[in-house]
Amino acid sequence: MERFERAERLKRLPPYLFKEIDRKKAEVKARGVDIIDLGVGDPDLPTPPHIIEALKKAAEDPGNHRYPSYSGMGGFKEAVAEWYGRRFGVRLDPKSEVVSLIGSKEGIAHFPLAFIDPGDVALVPTPAYPVYHIATMFAGGESYFMPLVKENDFLPDLEAIPDDVAARARVMFINYPNNPTAAVADRAFFERVVAFAKEKDIIVCHDAAYTEMGYNGYQPPSFLEVPGAKDIGLEFHSLSKTYNMTGWRIGFAVGNPEAVDGLGAIKSNIDSGVFQAVQMAGIEAIAGDQSCVGEMRAVYTRRRDLMVEGLEAAGFRLRVPKATFYLWVEVPAGYTSARLATRLLEEAGLVVTPGNGFGEPGEGYFRIALTQNRQRLAEAIERLQKLNL
Ligand SMILES: Cc1ncc(COP(=O)(O)O)c(C=O)c1O
């Protein structure tokens, strides 16, 4: 018997589907097996040195030691607005249309508290990054799940959303380039989303964490590039993957000023902003020399090509991703996602993420993160080929 009964919102958390894989991973590791972890989307490469230098300098300045401004330093918000102008041709008012975040996860997790009341609906993709659904639930809302399936290029089918659901929906989450399917969205899809959201008065939250991870010159668009998107949309962004800064905890949300202001109002009652020295380093990241981003893309391109070729040679089927550092691979006939992941771990020491862990329609897939060096990836392919699945 627990002494302290947990709140309903924790009791209602969905079962943690990776628990079994985590347990087996520990077991296999304890046997002394050399594990190659292709599970986590956490870059293995270090943060570029010029960004670290900026942090060091800023950390020494006592002016940065006090509480930061809630919504972000003026300089950081201006750098974000300038970057949006340069990269996407989107104009933002740094004062009212940008808020800094303690990583984009923090902003996504807090957003429903600002706009979802008990009984309200959020339209949530599945399979997906789990935070959209859980944050909705924490706010007392209900998720209406929009399946992402191969036949529809892993885009939600807006026409399949029943009218009564759309009428109760306050928020829609989308994420392109997508985790976990690695799918991308074109402007035509974003235009359909804008029209739908305008008609139904829904705030669109576009999670854009992977826009800087396009391959072969492909530049994923911002949702806000579409005319009218700012009337209904907010975009979440992250420095985590673009600059190998997952541990630094810095991101931002931009777009509709009412949505930005609502999120800011929740945040100002929960956290006290991002450490200014980290924001100064963030300015250096987005406004400084961008050659590190090109180098990052070149690294993942080589890894992607190596891994796609190896997987195909081993008989696996997948779409070659145009963006993200994920591969969404079909499970061979005769396996479920979980059974395949277990076999790869137990017999080859490979950790992959079973697709159903991201939501039911992910069954039949597994996700590989390209967050190991090429030598380790080549080793992973060798082990896969030996398994002869
Ligand atoms: C789709 C997606 N959104 C948001 C995040 C959160 O990133 P961060 O909080 O580091 O900015 C991640 C991290 O893996 C992600 O995959």
Side-chain angles (χ1 to χ4, degrees):
M1 249 287 274
E2 304 281 336
R3 179 170 179 190
F4 301 113
E5 192 174 341
R6 289 187 167 196
E8 282 306 315
R9 71 179 65 80
L10 280 189
K11 287 198 223 157
R12 285 177 51 211
L13 276 182
Y16 180 57
L17 282 157
F18 306 130
K19 199 162 142 191
E20 191 53 17
I21 227 131
D22 285 352
R23 190 185 62 73
K24 288 209 183 92
K25 185 172 145 188
E27 204 179 280
V28 172
K29 213 171 187 169
R31 290 208 304 263
V33 173
D34 167 33
I35 285 185
I36 303 178
D37 196 335
L38 306 170
V40 280
D42 189 358
D44 55 311
L45 300 166
T47 308
H50 65 289
I51 301 173
I52 299 174
E53 279 311 313
L55 172 77
K56 284 187 189 163
K57 229 167 92 195
E60 282 173 1
D61 177 357
N64 290 328
H65 296 174
R66 308 185 68 188
Y67 283 122
S69 121
Y70 288 130
S71 70
M73 291 172 73
F76 179 74
K77 295 195 289 186
E78 276 157 27
V80 167
E82 275 164 28
W83 182 73
Y84 254 75
R86 266 198 321 274
R87 168 68 175 86
F88 301 113
V90 170
R91 285 181 63 156
L92 295 170
D93 170 15
K95 288 199 173 67
S96 62
E97 296 178 339
V98 182
V99 58
S100 68
L101 301 173
I102 311 169
S104 62
K105 181 180 189 177
E106 177 265 309
I108 295 165
H110 283 142
F111 187 76
L113 293 177
F115 291 98
I116 296 228
D117 278 322
D120 289 342
V121 168
L123 305 171
V124 174
T126 178
Y129 184 58
V131 182
Y132 317 134
H133 166 56
I134 290 174
T136 298
M137 194 189 85
F138 280 178
E142 289 167 32
S143 298
Y144 174 85
F145 289 107
M146 306 181 291
L148 306 185
V149 294
K150 184 168 133 181
E151 294 68 38
N152 205 33
D153 296 323
F154 302 106
L155 299 170
D157 178 2
L158 303 179
E159 291 183 2
I161 300 166
D163 285 344
D164 61 318
V165 171
R168 285 165 59 214
R170 304 285 314 275
V171 173
M172 174 194 274
F173 288 101
I174 50 172
N175 161 226
Y176 293 96
N178 185 257
N179 173 19
T181 69
V184 296
D186 57 12
R187 282 177 63 121
F189 169 72
F190 287 153
E191 280 164 13
R192 290 200 298 279
V193 172
V194 170
F196 178 85
K198 280 199 166 172
E199 190 194 319
K200 316 278 184 196
D201 267 330
I202 293 172
I203 306 172
V204 175
C205 289
H206 180 230
D207 178 351
Y210 296 98
T211 56
E212 302 320 291
M213 255 187 206
Y215 296 115
N216 303 103
Y218 172 63
Q219 293 203 315
S222 157
F223 176 72
L224 299 176
E225 284 176 33
V226 172
K230 216 200 281 174
D231 298 340
I232 44 82
L234 187 65
E235 190 152 79
F236 290 90
H237 238 292
S238 173
L239 277 68
S240 288
K241 316 288 161 104
T242 312
Y243 304 101
N244 303 326
M245 291 176 76
T246 46
W248 295 56
R249 311 314 303 135
I250 182 157
F252 49 89
V254 299
N256 181 273
E258 278 179 56
V260 166
D261 195 53
L263 175 58
I266 293 290
K267 282 176 57 58
S268 64
N269 285 285
I270 294 179
D271 64 68
S272 298
V274 180
F275 178 29
Q276 287 201 165
V278 170
Q279 293 191 67
M280 301 286 280
I283 295 172
E284 179 61 29
I286 55 182
D289 182 1
Q290 296 300 297
S291 54
C292 58
V293 183
E295 285 158 22
M296 173 273 291
R297 285 189 200 114
V299 166
Y300 290 122
T301 306
R302 288 196 294 270
R303 292 180 182 182
R304 178 199 66 161
D305 292 347
L306 174 82
M307 207 60 198
V308 167
E309 196 184 313
L311 283 162
E312 284 177 343
F316 287 96
R317 287 161 56 118
L318 75 158
R319 289 189 180 181
V320 182
K322 287 172 86 176
T324 78
F325 57 15
Y326 300 116
L327 304 180
W328 188 238
V329 191
E330 292 181 29
V331 162
Y335 285 92
T336 61
S337 296
R339 276 198 45 231
L340 183 78
T342 303
R343 180 147 188 231
L344 294 183
L345 177 56
E346 288 187 338
E347 294 177 38
L350 300 179
V351 176
V352 301
T353 313
N356 61 318
F358 298 100
E360 229 291 299
E363 177 55 54
Y365 291 88
F366 65 96
R367 192 193 74 177
I368 282 179
L370 299 168
T371 47
Q372 297 281 348
N373 65 34
R374 276 199 297 162
Q375 210 181 334
R376 295 295 276 166
L377 293 178
E379 165 81 31
I381 288 165
E382 222 170 274
R383 293 188 199 178
L384 266 177
Q385 287 173 344
K386 273 199 199 130
L387 269 187
N388 219 349
L389 286 161

